[in-house]
Amino acid sequence: MTQPDPTAIIHTAQSQSRHLLTEVESKALLRAAGLDVVRTELASSRDQAVGLAEEFGWPVVLKICSPDIVHKSDIGGVRLNLGSAEAVGQAYDAIMNAARTAQPEARLDGVSVQPMAKPGVEVIIGLTTDPQFGSLLMFGLGGVAVEVLQDVAFRLAPLTSDDARGMIRELRGLPLLTGHRGQAAVDLNALEQLLLGVSGLATSYPQIQELDLNPSLAYADGCLAVDARIVLRSDGPPPAPRPLSEHTQAALERVFHPKAVAVIGDKKAMNYMWLRSQNRFQGKVYSVQIDERELPGIEALGVPNYTSLADIPDEIDYVMTAVPRQVTPRIIADCAANKVGGVMLFTSGFSEVGDAEGKQLEQRLVETAEASELALIGPNCMGVYNPQIGLRNYTELPTGEAGDVGFIGQSGTHTITFSLAAPQHGIRISKAVSFGNAAVLDASDYLNYLAADEQTRRIGMYLEGVREGRRFFSLLREVTPHKPVVIWKGGQSEAGQRATSSHTGSLATPVAIWDAVVTQAGAIPVADFDTLLDVLHLLGLAKPTTGDGVGLVAMTGGPSVVITDAFEQAGLRVPELSQDSYQELASFFTVIGGSFRNPLDSGYTIGMGQSTDNLARLLSILERDPRIDAIVMDTGAGLVAGQWQARPQLLDSLLDTLSAFATRSAKPFLTVLQPFNREAELLSVREQFHAAGLPTFATHARAARALALVTGYRRFQASASEP
Ligand code: ADP
Ligand code: MG
């Protein structure tokens, strides 16, 4: 039989308006594309089945072949290990009868015949199409691991070899592949090649919507797919990602660095919050308000008021407005007519509400903004914050020198809360934006802007979703090797409700995909606000390391025990120190009431932080130890905060010692300041630590989680910069 080419197989199915390829067709396509699949031929009669079995050699497998039957075993359509012509003949009849009974309407092509493959480790390789992100590869272990534990890995296609390797290695069940309890290890290289082959198919044949190789068998030498199912797309291929418009970026430049701003429709009922937020703005501020009753209040703020945007004798770069939703189309049209750079709509009640009028109004805004290339921020948002020039979106926000952390938030509350919390965490903001419904500009547009912004060295995000997933992914990939991006995703627990006919599709939940995609793109996914702050804090204050060996210093016994647990649980290691370190420690360490294996239980030795010579010596030993990559000290704040308060010079000399060490050391140095009893006092202590360049964490677990995430990012960064 001549080998048909994959396109011909796809065309045959399409000409019959079929989306599901049979196992025989799927395997023929895969073989033609050069992938390792078990030889499989169609028999449309009993005799033909016997003939094929004799040709292949015994034993063989028979399976029902029908474009209408998805799960063959479920209807009694699979017979394994058939060793004789008689067994094949009987199996043929039994399978055809079972299929006719189970699905009388189904088109039955006959039965497929294939050699019985020798036993191996069952794995699943799959391809599915995510509506947000496009072609997505899956790899998992077969059987219980995938059904019950959902131990699977995802990556967007096309895969790099690193991606393929990473997918296999991140499985919890990896030991089952690398030789568990004396079993031979399987050929991981062959599995990688199979994954890369499927990824190549996704690129070459965009008609393929889903593909399952379930199972493939992995051997010590090679691997083989014994089942295959391909589903074709019913619609056209997804559109290519839209490029980011240069005009938008220029408009955003005006929005983030305006020379003149206007607030439209601010009012007493809102305590003039938008106008009052601009009282430290270094450019010009104008008000537009037609309601006579509001004018005295505006005048009292010293802001000139006009009755229309057109009357303002200045070019307006940025407009803030909270007018009722019915009025917004007119305001946006006005902004467009007056060549405003951008406008933020605090107004809510659009697509997020879900009523027809809201949706329609939002559509009108989009049309006007897009036609005029006006940067429309929101609606349902708080707009932008640039502390350096005093441009604020909330009256209590600090202004001053430019920081180096950019923030992009889908929620107004989270964006403002982040901006307020940042200073206490040693995080200084360069620019922040709350963008709400993203009717026109989406997370990608703001990310693109902050990626190019020189002040911004690190980026934090709060997202609930992105509209053009592929565009976001590609952009993240470009940004993350240079600037870390930390993403907190809301709505993680939302259940995935997508109809898919493949196993891969059903396992590809929104949460699993999001985490995989973000990580593949080199960003740092975090699950909550605290971790977002902690990770940005650590990125800004500590030296980088790619190693996972942590040296721990605690004051007393109990904390020494649990700090170790916290770091081990976060996936880091607390190793034994080198002999040199132990020798030196033995020469001065007080072992009565302490110990120095790692963690160093050292309260006696360092006088709870007061014997700064011993403290410096101890830290230097960890710094020199080749087994240690990062150093963490629990300051015992719960016990010593009272002394710090009574004798501030104690704290000063501790800070001097630690700060000198952190500067000198090439390894990251973290401190834990757990506020057990003096929460309020410790706030200012923390700020002193930060000012001294020392990152602080409220708990062991938070320090451990942040260090693990940042170390993972540093590894990505190191591999991304390899040639
Ligand atoms: P289903 O449509 O039910 O998924 P499969 O083709 O996967 O049917 O067959 C069911 C099971 O039979 C597989 O999980 C595998 O364990 C075994 N199997 C199928 N084909 C072969 C083969 N050629 N060699 C060995 N085992 C096979
Ligand atoms: Mg199967």
Side-chain angles (χ1 to χ4, degrees), residues 345-477:
L345 281 175
F346 175 72
T347 314
S348 54
F350 296 90
S351 59
E352 83 279 11
V353 180
D355 71 327
E357 191 189 348
K359 280 188 188 155
Q360 217 174 8
L361 279 168
E362 185 165 311
Q363 191 49 39
R364 278 174 69 191
L365 302 181
V366 171
E367 279 158 21
T368 313
E370 282 181 345
S372 58
E373 300 189 307
L374 175 73
L376 177 71
I377 303 173
N380 187 22
C381 75
M382 298 287 286
V384 304
Y385 170 43
N386 179 348
Q388 192 184 22
I389 57 169
L391 178 70
R392 295 186 298 173
N393 47 359
Y394 194 66
T395 42
E396 284 164 39
L397 292 175
T399 55
E401 250 174 77
D404 51 11
V405 172
F407 190 81
I408 299 167
Q410 203 156 354
S411 137
T413 302
H414 289 325
T415 307
I416 301 298
T417 311
F418 180 84
S419 304
L420 288 168
Q424 285 154 34
H425 290 80
I427 296 168
R428 284 159 56 245
I429 290 182
S430 54
K431 290 166 182 85
V433 57
S434 137
F435 67 92
N437 291 13
V440 176
L441 301 186
D442 197 7
S444 303
D445 297 287
Y446 302 106
L447 178 59
N448 194 46
Y449 179 80
L450 290 183
D453 179 45
E454 279 180 13
Q455 284 169 349
T456 302
R457 306 304 316 148
R458 296 176 286 291
I459 298 170
M461 296 183 122
Y462 169 78
L463 298 177
E464 284 160 13
V466 286
R467 216 177 28 233
E468 292 166 289
R470 258 302 153 159
R471 184 164 83 123
F472 182 66
F473 174 75
S474 314
L475 192 57
L476 265 186
R477 249 201 175 163

Side-chain angles (χ1 to χ4, degrees), residues 77-231:
V78 177
R79 295 294 174 102
L80 303 173
N81 213 11
L82 305 169
S84 66
E86 197 188 354
V88 166
Q90 278 169 5
Y92 185 95
D93 292 341
I95 288 173
M96 292 300 279
N97 284 335
R100 277 190 207 106
T101 314
Q103 264 178 257
E105 313 290 304
R107 177 186 118 185
L108 303 183
D109 293 350
V111 163
S112 76
V113 183
Q114 50 199 285
M116 175 83 190
K118 64 180 195 280
V121 181
E122 288 200 358
V123 299
I124 300 186
I125 288 172
L127 170 75
T128 184
T129 305
D130 179 72
Q132 280 284 306
F133 294 104
S135 296
L136 185 75
L137 271 297
M138 185 194 79
F139 179 72
L141 292 168
V144 183
V146 76
E147 298 297 341
V148 181
L149 306 176
Q150 308 220 329
D151 186 17
V152 288
F154 294 100
R155 293 287 186 286
L156 290 188
L159 292 187
T160 63
S161 332
D162 268 355
D163 289 331
R165 205 168 306 135
M167 287 179 86
I168 298 171
R169 281 171 216 267
E170 80 180 44
L171 293 189
R172 280 169 280 150
L174 178 65
L176 298 174
L177 297 175
T178 52
H180 168 71
R181 293 206 179 165
Q183 275 179 336
V186 308
D187 186 346
L188 295 184
N189 188 43
L191 287 176
E192 274 169 45
Q193 292 311 315
L194 188 54
L195 276 165
L196 289 167
V198 173
S199 166
L201 272 184
T203 311
S204 308
Y205 303 99
Q207 304 96 319
I208 299 178
Q209 166 135 347
E210 295 183 18
L211 179 156
D212 269 348
L213 304 181
N214 181 15
S216 288
L217 299 176
Y219 300 116
D221 184 12
C223 64
L224 196 61
V226 298
D227 186 19
R229 176 185 308 137
I230 290 176
V231 181

